[in-house]
């Protein structure tokens, strides 16, 4: 002490030590509820110290008492986790993979996300072929007639899919556009089973497209990657041959975002 006050370095040391102990408690509780004795032993401090830390954590909802002496993780921790997941930038994570996919296939690559009843294209890699599609980052398209839109909806549960399908307008942009909610729901079922979606001239009659989904750590489809090609250069079966490569790229992006494959 200097002049009756605690030196700043001593304060910092005390705060740092309390922070480390508090984080150790949260890590221990991540494995399940614990009582006071178990937490004191895990952290290696006296029960009175653990009790003081728990009271602070409980006040901010980071821990919750399930009974008088038993504790578990609180709601604030899950709120922080969800906010962190929402803040993940899919575009930055996917960029290098989109470039590799574009180089290996030669096709136009898009990354899209859902916004209400539309898809928004948030990234693009141009085709290497002489005939190219016109599209731009920031452009929007309907959900019902795009491969990316179908993929994004296929990740919803059956009830949510039904609500979205019932609310869409279904403008017929080409002769191939699906304009019926029941047919659209059947298509989403197929996409959910197969893991990829197709657009056979449904959005623009001169373009074929295939798409697959990108998942977040919770396993939810948060984005879709597509390959598009003009019909004058490639028939649909040729484009469909790239489905496996497309799905593998989406899986790699998903893993970088924190998703764990059921097969891993």
């Amino acid at each position: 002490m200097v002049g009756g006050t605690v030196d700043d370095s001593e304060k910092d040391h005390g705060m740092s030590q309390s922070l480390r102990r508090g984080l150790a408690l949260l890590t221990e509780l991540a494995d399940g509820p614990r009582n006071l004795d178990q937490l004191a032993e895990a952290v290696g401090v006296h029960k009175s110290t653990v009790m003081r830390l728990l009271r602070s954590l409980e006040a901010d909802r980071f821990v919750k008492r399930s009974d008088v002496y038993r504790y578990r993780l609180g709601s604030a921790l899950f709120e922080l986790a969800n906010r962190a997941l929402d803040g993940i930038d899919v575009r930055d994570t996917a960029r290098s993979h989109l470039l590799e996919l574009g180089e290996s296939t030669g096709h136009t690559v898009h990354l899209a996300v859902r916004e209400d009843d539309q898809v928004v294209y948030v990234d693009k890699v141009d085709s290497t072929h002489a005939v190219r599609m016109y599209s731009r980052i920031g452009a929007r398209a309907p959900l019902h007639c795009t491969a990316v839109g179908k993929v994004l909806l296929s990740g919803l549960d059956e009830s949510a899919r039904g609500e979205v399908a019932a609310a869409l307008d279904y403008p017929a942009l080409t002769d191939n556009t699906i304009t019926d909610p029941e047919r659209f729901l059947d298509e989403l079922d197929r996409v959910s089973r197969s893991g990829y979606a197709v657009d056979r001239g449904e959005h623009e009659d001169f373009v074929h497209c295939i798409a697959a989904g990108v998942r977040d750590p919770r396993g939810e489809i948060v984005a879709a990657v597509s390959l598009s090609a003009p019909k004058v250069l490639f028939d649909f079966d040729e484009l469909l041959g790239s489905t496996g490569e497309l799905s593998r790229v989406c899986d790699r992006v998903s893993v970088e975002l924190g998703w764990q494959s059921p097969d891993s």
Side-chain angles (χ1 to χ4, degrees):
M1 297 185 67
V2 179
T5 61
V6 179
D7 184 84
D8 286 344
S9 63
E10 293 180 15
K11 288 182 179 179
D12 291 342
H13 175 73
M15 291 176 63
S16 177
Q17 187 177 59
S18 295
L19 177 60
R20 286 196 301 271
R21 288 171 175 171
L23 292 173
L25 290 174
L26 294 176
T27 301
E28 183 66 19
L29 290 171
D31 291 328
R34 297 286 189 271
N35 62 35
L36 191 59
D37 290 331
Q38 291 171 321
L39 291 172
E41 181 179 357
V43 179
V45 296
H46 193 272
K47 286 192 291 185
S48 61
T49 301
V50 173
M51 180 61 76
R52 187 182 72 252
L53 292 168
L54 288 170
R55 284 173 179 165
S56 295
L57 292 169
E58 187 179 10
D60 290 321
R61 297 184 295 109
F62 286 101
V63 301
K64 181 178 178 60
R65 276 185 291 181
S66 50
D67 57 42
V68 179
Y69 295 111
R70 198 166 179 83
Y71 295 83
R72 60 179 175 83
L73 293 178
S75 60
L77 202 61
F78 298 105
E79 291 169 9
L80 283 177
N82 285 328
R83 286 165 61 186
L85 293 177
D86 291 340
I88 293 174
D89 192 331
V90 177
R91 185 177 185 273
D92 285 348
T93 303
R95 182 60 182 171
S96 62
H97 298 283
L98 302 185
L99 291 170
E100 290 176 7
L101 183 61
E103 183 177 351
S104 64
T105 64
H107 300 313
T108 300
V109 183
H110 286 108
L111 178 70
V113 297
R114 178 188 170 195
E115 190 170 296
D116 299 324
D117 61 348
Q118 295 182 312
V119 296
V120 181
Y121 295 101
V122 295
D123 206 354
K124 176 189 177 183
V125 177
D126 279 314
S127 167
T128 59
H129 303 298
V131 179
R132 297 183 179 183
M133 292 175 50
Y134 171 74
S135 59
R136 59 180 174 80
I137 296 172
R140 296 169 179 268
L143 289 166
H144 72 290
C145 58
T146 53
V148 287
K150 296 174 187 178
V151 165
L152 290 165
L153 291 182
S154 72
L156 301 177
D157 61 39
E158 188 173 343
S159 174
R161 281 187 216 167
E163 290 179 7
V164 174
L168 294 179
D169 291 332
Y170 300 98
L173 301 185
T174 75
D175 291 340
N176 296 322
T177 304
I178 295 174
T179 57
D180 175 75
E182 291 302 319
R183 279 190 59 206
F184 188 56
L185 285 172
D186 289 342
E187 178 76 352
L188 294 183
D189 286 339
R190 188 204 65 76
V191 174
S192 181
R193 291 192 303 271
S194 66
Y196 69 91
V198 301
D199 161 12
R200 301 190 66 172
E202 297 169 44
H203 182 226
E204 297 173 301
D205 56 13
F206 55 90
V207 175
H208 291 310
C209 185
I210 58 175
V214 172
R215 297 181 181 273
D216 68 6
R218 294 167 289 205
E220 297 175 1
I221 296 177
V222 293
V225 178
S226 67
L227 289 173
S228 303
K231 292 181 181 180
V232 295
L233 293 182
F234 298 92
D235 65 29
F236 180 71
D237 288 337
E238 287 179 294
L239 182 62
L240 203 60
S242 298
T243 301
E245 185 175 0
L246 172 63
S247 296
R248 288 190 291 274
V249 165
C250 288
D251 284 349
R252 288 198 292 271
V253 176
S254 300
V255 168
E256 284 197 26
L257 290 174
W259 174 68
Q260 289 188 326
S261 168
D263 299 328
S264 61

